[in-house]
Amino acid sequence: MAQSMSFLLALLFLSSSTMAMAALNIVDLGAKPDGRTDSARPFLRAWAAACRTNKPLTIYVPRGRFFLSQVEFLGPCNNKAIKFLIHGTIIAPAGYSSSMNWIRFKYVDGLSIYRGTLDGRGQSLWACKMAGRSCPFGATSLSFSRSKNVLISGLTSINSKFYHISIFGSSNVKIRGVKITAPDASPNTDGIHLQMSSGITVERSTIGTGDDCISMKTGTTNVRIHRVKCGPGHGISIGSLGDAANEAGVQNITVTSVVFTGTDNGLRIKTWAKNNRGFVKGVTFANAVMQNVRNPIIIDQNYCPSGNNCPVQGSGVKISGVSYTNVRGSSATPVAMRFDCSPSNPCSEIGLKDIKLRYRKKRAQAFCKNVRGTTAGFIDPPSCF
Ligand SMILES: *[C@@H]1O[C@H](CO)[C@@H](O)[C@H](O)[C@H]1NC(C)=O
């Protein structure tokens, strides 16, 4: 008996050591897939174990609904290959508080997250905001701060309280095959928010929210966005920039093969009309389809969404080297291309090539102010450079 028992144990040991990766199932650590019991402790226990070892390790979340209060997964870790494999749905608290993050990773190097659904349950906070009451900003569903070498693949994120995914102070982050949804009237539910980060890829993803599908703020560099469907939402935006003093610039951004459906904006750059410094340079927009988009191509250096007490200085953010190639489809307003640039820092080296944007199947218009650029191929509406 004792002999066969030790044999069995040895077999188990053998099979787990020959597996490519060890796995920790959060249910084995006490999590309950009942949608009610807080699984923060099991998640943090799994993280602590994964972070301690220097061997690749998978934290497995099986099918079911797991309630999770606010958690922070903190590095630095010994482990450069922690993987979350999620088959279930992770559910946020339904109410709201002043906390800025729901699930946050900080100082992590070498992390991948596969599949899974995050339900931010933003409804009650949106209702508070829409009623014009004073409400907190709300928590970002999934955020990465000061992290690197991160992959997010096949994740679904719904109904965040604030941003769905935020990347701050991080590098080499790949986001692919994600699906992000929130209603078009939900306030501040940006899909993917990038700031002070470099080497970011977003591809093969579908994003429909109440705010920007993707926003790239101060200090975002070396970004590639490819094959993204956006809508509803406010479009793919660089900015807003130039609100705070001395912001870092935005540089080397490539956005290709994107489809916008019913969005407020398509390809947008927005800065405040304040005399701060900053820049946007080296931006390639190519192969975009616009389906009933209010502002398909827009540079707005008088950005001021509230419309109250708007600053009226020339924006100090210099915009240069921005190209638009093969942008087609329909504008929902008569002005399909708008370049409203800074009087003190005109936009320069703006390139247009092969543009065909129509308004109600008729010729649309272009608007130019303080902009210099060149054109090639066919340009409809006719360029105003
Ligand atoms: C621009 O960004 C891409 C990633 O999107 C990167 O591969 C490339 O090296 C960057 N170019 C420069 C000049 O930094």
Side-chain angles (χ1 to χ4, degrees):
M1 183 67 194
Q3 245 179 340
S4 62
M5 190 59 136
S6 60
F7 177 64
L8 195 65
L9 283 174
L11 253 189
L12 280 173
F13 177 74
L14 198 75
S15 66
S16 67
S17 66
T18 52
M19 258 165 45
M21 274 195 189
L24 287 173
N25 184 330
I26 60 150
V27 168
D28 296 339
L29 296 171
K32 293 195 168 54
D34 61 5
R36 286 185 293 121
T37 310
D38 188 3
S39 48
R41 289 193 60 194
F43 268 97
L44 290 171
R45 253 188 255 152
W47 179 258
C51 193
R52 212 178 301 122
T53 172
N54 58 8
K55 302 218 171 58
L57 194 139
T58 299
I59 297 171
Y60 180 60
V61 180
R63 267 174 226 296
R65 294 171 67 76
F66 294 89
F67 174 70
L68 180 62
S69 59
Q70 186 193 354
V71 286
E72 181 167 71
F73 297 113
L74 204 58
C77 293
N78 297 324
N79 202 334
K80 298 242 183 299
I82 300 178
K83 171 170 155 182
F84 279 85
L85 175 60
I86 309 173
H87 287 151
T89 298
I90 301 175
I91 304 166
Y96 49 85
S97 68
S98 59
S99 85
M100 300 292 289
N101 296 288
W102 174 30
I103 300 169
R104 173 151 88 154
F105 291 89
K106 194 170 181 186
Y107 306 125
V108 171
D109 178 359
L111 170 76
S112 51
I113 299 175
Y114 288 89
R115 307 180 52 179
T117 299
L118 304 180
D119 182 352
R121 292 213 278 183
Q123 290 87 347
S124 66
L125 177 60
W126 308 335
C128 174
K129 289 181 177 177
M130 287 190 278
R133 299 208 300 275
S134 97
C135 330
F137 285 107
T140 290
S141 283
L142 179 62
S143 69
F144 296 87
S145 176
R146 312 265 170 220
S147 292
K148 56 186 176 187
N149 303 319
V150 173
L151 168 68
I152 304 169
S153 176
L155 178 80
T156 299
S157 178
I158 65 171
N159 298 337
S160 59
K161 291 181 172 68
F162 197 61
Y163 304 150
H164 283 263
I165 296 176
S166 160
I167 312 287
F168 178 84
S170 296
S171 62
N172 190 23
V173 178
K174 288 194 172 59
I175 300 175
R176 66 177 188 221
V178 302
K179 190 161 188 285
I180 296 176
T181 57
D184 58 357
S186 58
N188 315 119
T189 52
D190 293 42
I192 299 171
H193 175 89
L194 308 176
Q195 189 164 330
M196 299 307 292
S197 293
S198 185
I200 314 295
T201 307
V202 180
E203 59 185 13
R204 302 201 310 266
S205 294
T206 303
I207 306 171
T209 71
D211 208 307
D212 292 330
C213 288
I214 301 175
S215 53
M216 291 169 267
K217 299 238 175 145
T218 171
T220 303
T221 62
N222 302 353
V223 174
R224 182 167 176 269
I225 295 169
H226 180 62
R227 283 179 62 189
V228 167
K229 289 186 190 141
C230 169
H234 296 180
I236 293 181
S237 298
I238 293 174
S240 58
L241 297 170
D243 188 15
N246 296 320
E247 286 183 350
V250 172
Q251 193 168 357
N252 186 17
I253 310 293
T254 302
V255 180
T256 55
S257 303
V258 285
V259 178
F260 297 89
T261 306
T263 50
D264 277 3
N265 308 283
L267 305 165
R268 172 163 69 156
I269 301 175
K270 51 180 172 173
T271 80
W272 290 81
K274 293 188 182 182
N275 190 21
N276 294 330
R277 281 186 292 180
F279 63 83
V280 174
K281 63 181 168 193
V283 180
T284 303
F285 294 121
N287 308 330
V289 175
M290 305 286 169
Q291 296 172 334
N292 211 29
V293 172
R294 293 181 61 77
N295 303 294
I297 290 176
I298 177 166
I299 296 179
D300 176 8
Q301 295 210 262
N302 290 296
Y303 179 68
C304 181
S306 74
N308 295 322
N309 297 319
C310 292
V312 293
Q313 296 162 300
S315 172
V317 178
K318 283 188 174 51
I319 298 176
S320 63
V322 180
S323 68
Y324 303 84
T325 305
N326 187 24
V327 180
R328 297 159 194 250
S330 57
S331 175
T333 67
V335 178
M337 292 198 279
R338 176 180 291 273
F339 301 101
D340 183 4
C341 295
S342 165
S344 50
N345 292 285
C347 297
S348 61
E349 298 165 66
I350 307 299
L352 290 173
K353 184 178 182 216
D354 297 341
I355 308 291
K356 187 169 186 183
L357 293 165
R358 309 283 280 174
Y359 169 61
R360 294 188 178 157
K361 301 200 165 83
K362 296 199 187 71
R363 172 150 286 180
Q365 295 157 35
F367 172 94
C368 283
K369 205 163 144 191
N370 309 314
V371 54
R372 287 189 295 263
T374 55
T375 62
F378 55 85
I379 308 291
D380 177 16
S383 153
C384 51
F385 290 166

